[in-house]
């Protein structure tokens, strides 16, 4: 029912935290972070009554499977993966490396030569 019909683009923003290259300590930190944020996903938030998706923490393969199993993800044109605000530099390096080398390819992304 979008005014632009088939030309409309649909995007989704998600926090994804792949753990393929994470240490045991990083995995524990990431899981605790996602658990603390889970209550915001159970009811509409703010004046616009937005619903937030749960943060996805796990191996890239696990995250890819969870995304493909979700009907909304299968319908979007683009996705923006958001990073948590409170992590350390080393965490961001690990997460972005896993997204670029594991999760992206698991979702069909290929670098342009």
């Amino acid at each position: 029912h979008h005014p632009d019909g088939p030309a409309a683009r649909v995007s989704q923003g998600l926090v994804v935290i792949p753990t393929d290259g994470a240490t045991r300590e990083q995995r524990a930190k990431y899981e605790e972070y996602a658990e603390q944020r889970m209550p915001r996903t159970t009811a509409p938030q703010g004046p616009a009554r937005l619903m937030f998706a749960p943060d996805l923490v796990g191996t890239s393969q696990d995250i890819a499977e969870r995304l493909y199993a979700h009907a909304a993800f299968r319908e979007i044109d683009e996705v923006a993966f958001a990073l948590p605000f409170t992590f350390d530099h080393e965490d961001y390096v690990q997460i972005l490396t896993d997204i670029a080398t594991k999760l992206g390819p698991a979702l069909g992304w290929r670098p342009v030569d």
Side-chain angles (χ1 to χ4, degrees):
H1 299 284
H2 191 279
D4 292 338
R9 296 190 53 81
V10 178
S11 64
Q12 184 177 33
L14 297 168
V15 173
V16 296
I17 307 173
T19 59
D20 303 275
T23 66
R24 184 173 3 137
E25 293 80 15
Q26 284 173 313
R27 283 192 301 276
K29 179 190 342 187
Y30 302 161
E31 289 167 4
E32 180 181 344
Y33 173 84
E35 185 178 318
Q36 288 175 353
R37 288 169 40 95
M38 185 60 81
R40 73 182 177 74
T41 69
T42 61
Q45 303 293 313
R49 314 274 303 145
L50 296 175
M51 290 296 296
F52 290 95
D55 299 341
L56 301 178
V57 179
T59 66
S60 292
Q61 188 60 42
D62 175 57
I63 292 172
E65 288 172 7
R66 290 166 64 190
L67 289 172
Y68 280 128
H70 197 282
F73 182 80
R74 293 191 308 265
E75 295 297 323
I76 62 171
D77 297 305
E78 58 192 38
V79 64
F81 292 139
L83 296 173
F85 296 116
T86 58
F87 288 178
D88 298 321
H89 175 79
E90 298 78 22
D91 300 326
Y92 295 125
V93 170
Q94 178 270 307
I95 292 167
L96 290 171
T97 299
D98 282 355
I99 288 173
T101 63
K102 306 277 190 214
L103 180 58
L107 295 173
W109 175 80
R110 300 287 177 261
V112 176
D113 293 327

